[in-house]
Amino acid sequence: MIELILVCLCILFLIMFAEILWRRKIVQVELSRKLIHMGTGVIVAFCPFFLSWTYIQLLSVGFLVVILASYKLNIFSSIHDVNRITRGEVLYPIGIGICALLEPAPWIFTASILHLAIADALAAIVGLKWGKRTRYMLLSHGKTLLGSMTFFYTSMAIFAGALYFVAPENRPNLLTLLVMFPLILTLLENISWFGSDNITVPVAVIILLSVI
């Protein structure tokens, strides 16, 4: 229980810190969202190593309640105040909860949430800041080539790290793990609109790693 309380406090502190940075105009709203996205995701990614699945599921429910209350009462404007249609902040804890309900091996859960926390967030940050000249449209939804490349290479790095937890005799073909899997996830991220990649991407990682 103490571990769960500490995780909750860390997440709350991170949200409040990002809110302060946004209110003082130190960072723009998209960056504050991604700071929360990355920070909370990295914390949650390693929770299976010291928390039960039940606690992680409760954590995701609590996170969702806080987000919905904030959305209704406009408590944390740094999360919601964006000029585009998205429900990513709501789908984010739902994606974590679904992954926890699947109860994969801890290292598989870690890899799935790191895709959610790091690969997705970095792709958005890079795409928004430097990818305007590489922008392309996919069924009327704007994406950037630079952002997609960032997601792909970050996914590759996460899978490479995951190899440490796979017994040598069970390791898949490196081409499959380091090229095909990241490519599949990059394509999936491209077609998961309005923040739905917060569910589709981590669940897909669990499925892909569970069948190797």
Side-chain angles (χ1 to χ4, degrees):
M1 179 61 73
I2 294 178
E3 292 86 350
L4 178 60
I5 293 174
L6 288 174
V7 168
C8 291
L9 289 175
C10 287
I11 291 175
L12 181 59
F13 172 80
L14 184 62
I15 294 174
M16 294 178 65
F17 179 68
E19 181 75 10
I20 291 171
L21 291 179
W22 176 76
R23 288 185 182 274
R24 293 186 176 180
K25 302 186 184 303
I26 297 174
V27 299
Q28 295 181 344
V29 65
E30 284 289 355
L31 183 55
S32 68
R33 280 169 58 91
K34 293 309 175 184
L35 286 174
I36 296 171
H37 194 107
M38 295 177 73
T40 56
V42 170
I43 293 171
V44 172
F46 294 94
C47 280
F49 294 100
F50 55 89
L51 290 180
S52 68
W53 289 118
T54 300
Y55 279 159
I56 298 173
Q57 291 157 14
L58 289 174
L59 180 64
S60 68
V61 172
F63 194 10
L64 177 60
V65 170
V66 170
I67 294 297
L68 290 175
S70 174
Y71 186 77
K72 188 72 174 179
L73 303 174
N74 197 29
I75 299 172
F76 299 118
S77 301
S78 59
I79 298 177
H80 313 293
D81 191 19
V82 290
N83 297 319
R84 56 189 172 87
I85 300 174
T86 178
R87 286 296 176 264
E89 69 273 18
V90 174
L91 297 178
Y92 188 74
I94 293 176
I96 292 173
I98 292 174
C99 291
L101 284 171
L102 295 175
E103 297 189 6
W107 70 272
I108 292 180
F109 180 86
T110 299
S112 70
I113 303 302
L114 287 180
H115 272 82
L116 183 60
I118 299 179
D120 182 52
L122 281 181
I125 292 172
V126 171
L128 285 171
K129 190 167 183 63
W130 297 290
K132 293 180 181 179
R133 293 184 179 180
T134 64
R135 188 175 176 85
Y136 62 94
M137 301 298 293
L138 185 62
L139 298 179
S140 76
H141 290 265
K143 308 293 289 187
T144 69
L145 180 60
L146 197 56
S148 295
M149 289 175 62
T150 300
F151 185 97
F152 176 84
Y153 287 119
T154 306
S155 175
M156 183 184 294
I158 293 171
F159 280 128
L163 278 176
Y164 177 81
F165 296 93
V166 183
E169 63 273 14
N170 295 329
R171 287 178 180 172
N173 182 283
L174 289 181
L175 178 64
T176 298
L177 186 68
L178 301 182
V179 179
M180 293 305 298
F181 283 3
L183 180 59
I184 291 171
L185 294 171
T186 301
L187 293 174
L188 182 61
E189 192 273 339
N190 265 262
I191 61 174
S192 298
W193 301 312
F194 306 124
S196 61
D197 55 326
N198 286 338
I199 295 178
T200 59
V201 168
V203 170
V205 173
I206 290 178
I207 293 172
L208 291 172
L209 288 180
S210 296
V211 298
I212 63 173

